[in-house]
Amino acid sequence: MALPNDIEALDKAFSGIGVDEKSLINLLAKSNDEHKRSLRTGCPKLFTEDENGFERSDQSYKKNLQHQFNRFRDAVVLSLLHPWERDARLLEEAIKKGPKHYNVIVEIACTRSSDQLLGARKAYHSLFDNSIEEHLASHNKATERKLLVALVSAYRYEGPIVKEDVVKSEAKILYDALENADKNNPLDHEDAIMILATRSKPHLQALYQHYSKTYGKTLTQDLEEGILKDTIECLCTPEAYFNRVLGAAVEQEADEESKAALSRVIVTQKEVLRKGGCVADKIQDSLSGLYKELMLGLIASGDIKEDDS
Amino acid sequence: MATLRIPAHVPAPSEDAEQLHKAFEGWGTNEQLIIDILAHRNAAQRNSIRKAYREAYGKDLLKSLDEELSSDFERAVVLFTLDPAERDAYLANESTKKFTSSNWILMEIACTRSSYELFNVRRAYHARYKKSLEEDVAYHTKGDHRKLLVPLVSAFRYEGEEVNMTLAKSEAKILHEKISHKHYSDEEVIRIVTTRSKAQLNATLNQYNTAFGNDINKDLEAGSDDEFLKLLRAAIQCLTVPEKYFEKVLREAIVGLGTDEWALTRVVTTRAEVDMVRIKEEYHRRNSVTLEKAIAGDTSGDYEKMLLALVGAGDV
């Protein structure tokens, strides 16, 4: 007879992000046929009574389990890849999968350094025999294309020099573009795109501050979820962006895209996260098993700098 | 192929630096010596000479050249001496300034350099101007020009020779459709011209010709002769048959009344180490006179000597 504890343990082992391998080993190693039958009966999510006298498994739940088991594998591989290949593959996947994944394109284009982004573009040539802008532009004919292509093509200046008068005039341009959003889509606004896609990050961060002071609200306050909001956040307040993304990933109703952010963000941003603190607490409860150990281990070691070459 | 001629035995950079320093000493300047050295060294050698010069004399060679030389000769020597990436960054920056503004030069640099060369230009631009090239180009252009030029300077085209013929056919069709409706700055036209690899673009244009009977630039001429169209046609030419484009620039600079020295200097100094041989052939074919003869007929003095040395005339 399987104790209620065991049934609960089985359910828990499968319910997190990642799989609690140790718990499963403990459970199954000592499990005989009787035990297993009661496990099956006690887990209606995974097994249902078949009219032919056995508890049959639900194949789609099994598929979901596959996802969970693979998380560790995928995170390991992601972790081992050269950062350029990693970003190139993430970008290619996002382009292929379409609009719901464009936030990944924005994230990579906006949070990597100029040379890291260049590296990803070079890797893209090697891996896919095409340039990233080529693929991106031909896969998407909609309004987002302008901003996205411009973002991946950028090679932003990285020095600290910022011109105050330009910051002020461009804050106004963005203000006008956003205020008139219902009449004209900001994604079509040439000057807004120019500012977001070509200006240096220090410039944009100064602009963000100036905007808040001048207009009494942040650039992103009134924006809907979408690539424009992601773009501004990634460029101006990346830590806030990553915290938001990680938070969304561990929510109850998070979908696969949101959960995928965990590996992606933690593997690529461990320095940022380590500095920010408290991520570990947020994800402690939602992750399981080896996957959880890997993620927590990465965050803890966040001060080991990644090689940029 | 380059027309730059380098002697079989090249002195050590420190020797060259010393000779150049001697050339500046005294009342006059020994222009011939300057040409003999700088017009006969490749980019790596010139960089070494600049380094050696700075180490020996505590000064940038370019500054000395600027102080000692003048006018078109100076511009030719200084431009040529610069490392190619720095040179292009300089020319690009010049092109964004009000009085020397030129979308042509930006387009020319963006389209005729290789992907890696263009990226080096962007890097050199950061170092020298503390800004990105694309932000300056975006800021100084508007409308259709910006739509075309920013992606052109930002492109990092795939450089392989692979070509997808099905894609070439479908994109030729798209281009033809947009052009026949006079939608010259349509996003699809811009996308194809600014993102496809040169090999792919070439294949697409060949398909265009095969399927629709006309060269794409011929169809683009049929529209009104506005600046944007001219730029678009030139971009297409630069991406596919640059030697024809450069021949035209040279011809327009030389033939007829007066000479456009800036254009002449720019083409000679930027292509001497790249494809000047082909450009010369094209020039001869088109004009029935050699480029050397045309330059000699249209320029004089040290400026003429510098240009002729760079296009491979005379002794090494």
Side-chain angles (χ1 to χ4, degrees):
Chain A
M1 255 314 269
L3 302 166
N5 282 350
D6 287 352
I7 294 177
E8 205 186 310
L10 180 65
D11 190 57
K12 193 155 188 285
F14 288 149
S15 299
I17 300 177
V19 168
D20 191 343
E21 292 91 351
K22 281 217 186 81
S23 167
L24 289 170
I25 293 171
N26 285 334
L27 202 57
L28 295 170
K30 62 172 171 111
S31 185
N32 61 19
D33 286 347
E34 262 296 326
H35 189 250
K36 288 209 193 118
R37 178 143 32 93
S38 21
L39 282 178
R40 287 192 298 266
T41 331
C43 276
K45 261 193 287 186
L46 194 44
F47 297 97
T48 46
E49 195 65 46
D50 184 84
E51 64 261 17
N52 282 314
F54 66 99
E55 308 82 26
R56 63 176 289 177
S57 65
D58 180 340
Q59 289 304 293
S60 68
Y61 194 77
K62 180 185 168 199
K63 257 196 153 173
N64 178 47
L65 276 187
Q66 216 162 23
H67 262 315
Q68 303 294 14
F69 273 97
N70 288 344
R71 258 185 234 287
F72 178 66
R73 173 198 74 183
D74 293 341
V76 166
V77 173
L78 200 66
S79 220
L80 280 172
L81 289 178
H82 189 289
W84 295 354
E85 179 175 348
R86 193 172 61 205
D87 284 346
R89 288 197 184 276
L90 287 169
L91 285 163
E92 196 253 356
E93 200 188 335
I95 293 173
K96 274 219 300 261
K97 285 192 175 161
K100 272 187 85 187
H101 298 253
Y102 285 168
N103 62 312
V104 176
I105 300 176
V106 170
E107 185 182 301
I108 295 177
C110 297
T111 63
R112 306 317 191 232
S113 75
S114 292
D115 281 324
Q116 282 171 335
L117 183 57
L118 168 58
R121 291 171 83 179
K122 287 186 193 168
Y124 204 97
H125 279 200
S126 305
L127 299 170
F128 307 112
D129 292 340
N130 274 290
S131 65
I132 183 182
E133 55 267 34
E134 206 177 348
H135 264 177
L136 181 54
S138 59
H139 270 82
N140 176 317
K141 318 281 169 129
T143 338
E144 295 103 359
R145 174 159 100 184
K146 278 200 232 178
L147 179 61
L148 290 173
V149 174
L151 289 176
V152 302
S153 308
Y155 186 58
R156 297 175 203 260
Y157 172 60
E158 305 219 280
I161 299 177
V162 164
K163 291 210 179 117
E164 270 312 304
D165 49 339
V166 183
V167 165
K168 293 195 175 118
S169 63
E170 294 191 343
K172 175 129 203 331
I173 294 175
L174 285 180
Y175 179 75
D176 292 336
L178 295 180
E179 287 296 296
N180 290 311
D182 43 0
K183 278 180 239 125
N184 282 313
N185 191 342
L187 291 176
D188 270 325
H189 194 288
E190 268 188 28
D191 287 340
I193 294 183
M194 166 190 90
I195 294 168
L196 293 172
T198 67
R199 291 302 185 200
S200 73
K201 290 178 190 177
H203 177 99
L204 290 169
Q205 283 154 8
L207 198 159
Y208 187 89
Q209 301 300 337
H210 177 82
Y211 191 100
S212 300
K213 264 193 270 176
T214 313
Y215 300 110
K217 54 179 175 170
T218 68
L219 260 169
T220 50
Q221 213 158 308
D222 294 336
L223 286 180
E224 279 176 18
E225 300 300 313
I227 61 169
L228 186 58
K229 183 173 188 176
D230 289 339
T231 300
I232 297 173
E233 274 192 347
C234 284
L235 291 166
C236 304
T237 58
E239 278 175 39
Y241 169 82
F242 286 121
N243 278 313
R244 170 166 74 82
V245 166
L246 287 177
V250 299
E251 260 169 37
Q252 274 286 44
E253 298 307 311
D255 58 13
E256 197 44 50
E257 280 87 44
S258 307
K259 290 192 193 156
L262 278 166
S263 298
R264 185 182 77 238
V265 170
I266 293 177
V267 169
T268 63
Q269 300 300 319
K270 46 194 171 81
E271 289 94 41
V272 174
L273 297 176
R274 171 129 167 87
K275 272 190 287 167
C278 78
V279 175
D281 305 324
K282 223 189 289 221
I283 66 176
Q284 281 275 22
D285 300 324
S286 319
L287 268 55
S288 307
L290 293 174
Y291 180 70
K292 173 175 171 178
E293 278 183 51
L294 178 59
M295 292 295 109
L296 291 178
L298 286 173
I299 296 174
S301 73
D303 40 16
I304 297 172
K305 196 77 180 52
E306 245 186 19
D307 186 10
D308 235 352
S309 61
Chain B
M1 279 253 328
T3 46
L4 182 70
R5 287 157 73 181
I6 302 172
H9 168 71
V10 176
S14 49
E15 270 181 61
D16 277 338
E18 197 185 326
Q19 288 299 308
L20 285 167
H21 188 72
K22 281 211 186 110
F24 302 141
E25 267 174 2
W27 280 115
T29 309
N30 189 342
E31 288 89 354
Q32 186 59 53
L33 185 54
I34 294 173
I35 296 174
D36 286 341
I37 299 175
L38 291 173
H40 296 281
R41 303 288 183 270
N42 64 29
Q45 290 160 343
R46 299 194 305 273
N47 281 345
S48 304
I49 296 172
R50 274 175 78 184
K51 189 159 177 271
Y53 191 90
R54 171 167 285 142
E55 278 165 14
Y57 307 108
K59 201 173 176 184
D60 188 346
L61 172 62
L62 295 174
K63 196 143 196 292
S64 296
L65 289 169
D66 181 48
E67 286 165 1
E68 297 289 326
L69 311 179
S70 62
S71 184
D72 295 311
F73 177 54
E74 178 196 330
R75 191 175 163 83
V77 173
V78 168
L79 273 183
F80 186 68
T81 305
L82 278 169
D83 167 270
E86 282 181 290
R87 183 196 304 144
D88 282 349
Y90 178 82
L91 288 170
N93 180 261
E94 213 177 39
S95 305
T96 61
K97 299 223 175 88
K98 229 194 232 167
F99 295 113
T100 48
S101 92
S102 171
N103 291 332
W104 285 85
I105 297 175
L106 291 169
M107 174 280 301
E108 185 181 298
I109 293 174
C111 297
T112 60
R113 301 346 182 208
S114 76
S115 292
Y116 277 82
E117 283 166 358
L118 182 56
F119 226 102
N120 285 334
V121 176
R122 292 169 84 178
R123 190 174 279 139
Y125 202 93
H126 275 200
R128 189 161 176 159
Y129 301 107
K130 313 295 181 211
K131 286 177 287 185
S132 67
L133 173 59
E134 60 268 29
E135 84 184 273
D136 267 353
V137 172
Y139 188 70
H140 287 95
T141 55
K142 279 189 170 25
D144 288 345
H145 285 100
R146 186 195 284 177
K147 264 172 94 166
L148 179 61
L149 287 170
V150 174
L152 279 181
V153 305
S154 310
F156 188 56
R157 296 174 203 261
Y158 176 63
E159 301 236 89
E161 293 300 315
E162 297 92 336
V163 158
N164 179 329
M165 286 316 286
T166 318
L167 190 62
K169 289 193 179 114
S170 69
E171 293 194 334
K173 214 160 162 234
I174 294 174
L175 287 172
H176 186 255
E177 199 216 314
K178 300 296 175 184
I179 293 175
S180 34
H181 288 111
K182 298 198 197 292
H183 296 153
Y184 305 118
S185 61
D186 182 275
E187 299 215 351
E188 284 290 272
V189 174
I190 305 258
R191 167 183 74 79
I192 294 170
V193 172
T194 63
T195 68
R196 290 300 180 199
S197 73
K198 291 181 182 177
Q200 182 68 32
L201 195 57
N202 221 332
T204 304
L205 298 182
N206 285 335
Q207 278 302 308
Y208 186 104
N209 208 329
T210 309
F212 306 107
N214 267 339
D215 193 78
I216 191 175
N217 272 352
K218 195 136 195 284
D219 283 351
L220 285 172
E221 257 167 52
S224 69
D225 216 26
D226 71 73
E227 280 305 308
F228 175 75
L229 264 185
K230 285 194 202 157
L231 197 62
L232 182 61
R233 291 200 298 268
I236 291 175
Q237 214 184 27
C238 280
L239 289 164
T240 50
V241 281
E243 60 278 0
K244 290 209 159 104
Y245 166 84
F246 285 117
E247 180 280 322
K248 184 158 188 234
V249 175
L250 286 172
R251 178 170 19 106
E252 288 180 347
I254 297 173
V255 169
L257 226 48
T259 308
D260 182 351
E261 286 88 0
W262 276 37
L264 181 55
T265 303
R266 183 182 80 245
V267 176
V268 170
T269 57
T270 59
R271 306 315 282 181
E273 293 180 276
V274 185
D275 54 2
M276 185 54 79
V277 171
R278 286 189 79 174
I279 297 174
K280 284 206 301 187
E281 284 166 8
E282 191 61 30
Y283 192 90
H284 193 187
R285 198 188 61 78
R286 179 70 175 65
N287 299 289
S288 306
V289 71
T290 63
L291 180 61
E292 289 92 322
K293 206 140 185 268
I295 290 176
D298 226 44
T299 59
S300 60
D302 298 311
Y303 178 52
E304 175 191 332
K305 289 193 203 141
M306 181 69 184
L307 294 177
L308 288 178
L310 290 176
V311 301
D315 302 325
V316 166

